[in-house]
Amino acid sequence: MSKEKKMKLSLPTEELVGSGNLACQGCGATLAMRYFLKALGPKTVLCIPACCWSVIDGPYPYSCLGVPVHHSAFETAASTATGVKAGLQMTGDNETTVVAWGGDGGTFDIGLQALSGAAERNDDIIYVCYDNEAYMNTGIQRSSATPLGAWTTTTPVKFFKDQPKKDIDAIMAAHRIPYQATASISYPEDVYKKAKKAKDVKGTRFLHIYAPCPTGWKSRPEDTIKLGRMVVQNCIFPLFEVEHGEKYTLTMKPANKKPIDDYLKLQGRFRHLKPETIKVMQEAVDHEWTRLLKLCENR
Amino acid sequence: MPKKRDAKKINFTSIAEVPTMPMSLGSMLWNKTGTWRNIRPEIKLEDCIQCGICWKFCPDMSILIENEWPVVDYDFCKGCGICAEECPAKCIVMVEERK
Ligand SMILES: Cc1ncc(C[n+]2csc(CCOP(=O)(O)OP(=O)(O)O)c2C)c(N)n1
Ligand code: SF4
Ligand code: SF4
Ligand SMILES: [Mg+2]
């Protein structure tokens, strides 16, 4: 105890997400915000559509966040951010970073048109999607980000989801936006680095952050970090960057790619799966992984 | 013992006090989420290697750093167990909450 050492901290100590917030125990979405705001700093405005994060923040007149938040309608995160950015510019503020911060439902599904519009205009905003792979805030309904095989309340065990996860990253790349990246909360330094990089680019930037949800995935809260690590190491959710829709860079190469079984076993939402379904899922993961490696080589 | 983090609840006594634009007027620090917990982390500092990993992964900003050592803020720790799970020195144990 008397060892006179310094604590080794890999991130700045400033916290813009406060304690006392309303997130569940072990919430990945909260960590995503924590790391992201460490990189962005206080000169940031968040536009948050209906999602867990509009609840986590706290009820009126409170907020656990150290930056201004504009709560918007579910389908309008990107267009709200565009408007806030334009408003700030009118007042002569060209410095504040305007961020749309939505869940997977608000991004992959209902907010896709607003996001596509902003990206097509190359509006000067950062769009962050924290991906917990379902509509969690309203009680775990399937979204187009829900992976193949998963249980949700609208894809019950007998009728588990039999479509793959929508490839939102390819959709954003098709818009040729200047910068986009995937990240996972289990690699905070990587989230931080990518958020910093996004901050310094002009135009539409897109971050897709994997955020485990113990409540919706029926996983143990203490496994949140483990899941965010396994999903990357098993090549289910690879970490990469894309510049201008063309230049793909793999930002983490898993040391030795493992089968997806261990990852599935930690989550109640996959408990019903039979080996033959898991085999199909493994083949799909391998196929997508090979495809991504090719994109990264061809640049 | 960590320094107490606290905030007051806001009570409007008349409509005149309510801002015309709905705005946040205070933090959530009045909300002591420590009451949600049924297991609590205990750090055995003699085995701690000061790596900062518990601090880094706590989703509730409830591991504070005091004089270069991690300290749990039991006012807010929700008892998720992430710190104990991720600690490489295995010096955090989750024990049943004392009432
Ligand atoms: C137009 C509209 N339809 C439905 C809702 C109800 N609603 C609020 S949040 C939400 C789910 C959000 O899911 P997601 O974007 O994935 O965020 P999460 O809650 O998972 O963080 C729904 C369906 C709404 N607010 N507005
Ligand atoms: S439901 Fe999931 S994403 Fe939402 S606050 Fe709880 S753990 Fe976080
Ligand atoms: S149990 Fe969870 S909330 Fe409590 S200090 Fe550890 S990581 Fe933070
Ligand atoms: Mg969601």
Side-chain angles (χ1 to χ4, degrees), chain A residues 158-232:
Chain A
K158 263 192 157 164
F159 306 96
F160 61 78
K161 196 186 179 218
D162 64 357
Q163 298 85 15
K165 188 183 177 94
K166 186 191 275 182
D167 191 353
I168 192 76
D169 306 303
I171 293 174
M172 294 319 291
H175 287 75
R176 310 284 187 262
I177 52 173
Y179 181 72
Q180 71 186 82
T182 62
S184 164
I185 54 105
S186 306
Y187 299 96
E189 297 80 7
D190 184 64
V191 178
Y192 180 86
K193 214 169 83 199
K194 286 169 176 167
K196 274 266 187 232
K197 194 161 171 184
K199 188 184 178 203
D200 293 334
V201 172
K202 262 195 106 55
T204 306
R205 295 140 281 170
F206 181 75
L207 293 181
H208 181 189
I209 309 181
Y210 183 83
C213 166
T215 308
W217 297 5
K218 307 297 167 208
S219 57
R220 302 187 312 165
E222 65 265 40
D223 286 342
T224 288
I225 309 300
K226 215 184 288 170
L227 285 170
R229 206 178 282 131
M230 279 178 157
V231 84
V232 174

Side-chain angles (χ1 to χ4, degrees), chain A residues 8 23 25 35 61-62 229, chain B residues 10 25 51 56 68 78 86:
Chain A
K8 290 188 279 299
Q25 291 154 319
Y35 306 140
Y62 308 102
R229 206 178 282 131
Chain B
I10 295 163
L25 301 173
C51 64
K56 180 167 81 174
E68 306 300 328
K78 292 174 187 162
E86 295 301 319

Side-chain angles (χ1 to χ4, degrees), chain A residues 1 3 5-8 19-23 25 30 34-35 60-63 189 222 225-226 229, chain B residues 5 9-10 25-27 30-31 36 48 50-51 55-56 58-61 68-69 78 85-86:
Chain A
M1 253 229 64
K3 312 169 254 189
K5 270 203 297 181
K6 277 236 175 252
M7 197 82 169
K8 290 188 279 299
S19 304
N21 64 61
L22 299 184
Q25 291 154 319
T30 311
R34 184 180 174 215
Y35 306 140
Y60 175 76
Y62 308 102
S63 169
E189 297 80 7
E222 65 265 40
I225 309 300
K226 215 184 288 170
R229 206 178 282 131
Chain B
R5 293 184 291 159
K9 281 201 85 166
I10 295 163
L25 301 173
S27 80
W30 53 270
N31 186 34
W36 300 10
C48 171
Q50 292 167 294
C51 64
W55 168 82
K56 180 167 81 174
C58 173
D60 282 288
M61 290 57 71
E68 306 300 328
W69 295 96
K78 292 174 187 162
E85 193 70 25
E86 295 301 319

Side-chain angles (χ1 to χ4, degrees), chain A residues 14-27:
Chain A
E14 187 186 21
E15 300 290 358
L16 290 166
V17 181
S19 304
N21 64 61
L22 299 184
C24 305
Q25 291 154 319
C27 171

Side-chain angles (χ1 to χ4, degrees), chain A residues 126-188:
Chain A
I126 302 183
Y127 191 107
V128 185
C129 170
Y130 69 92
D131 186 359
N132 54 22
E133 303 194 315
Y135 293 73
M136 293 311 180
N137 170 49
T138 41
I140 326 171
Q141 293 84 19
R142 132 206 223 286
S143 78
S144 57
T146 304
L148 180 76
W151 162 94
T152 66
T153 55
T154 49
T155 49
V157 164
K158 263 192 157 164
F159 306 96
F160 61 78
K161 196 186 179 218
D162 64 357
Q163 298 85 15
K165 188 183 177 94
K166 186 191 275 182
D167 191 353
I168 192 76
D169 306 303
I171 293 174
M172 294 319 291
H175 287 75
R176 310 284 187 262
I177 52 173
Y179 181 72
Q180 71 186 82
T182 62
S184 164
I185 54 105
S186 306
Y187 299 96

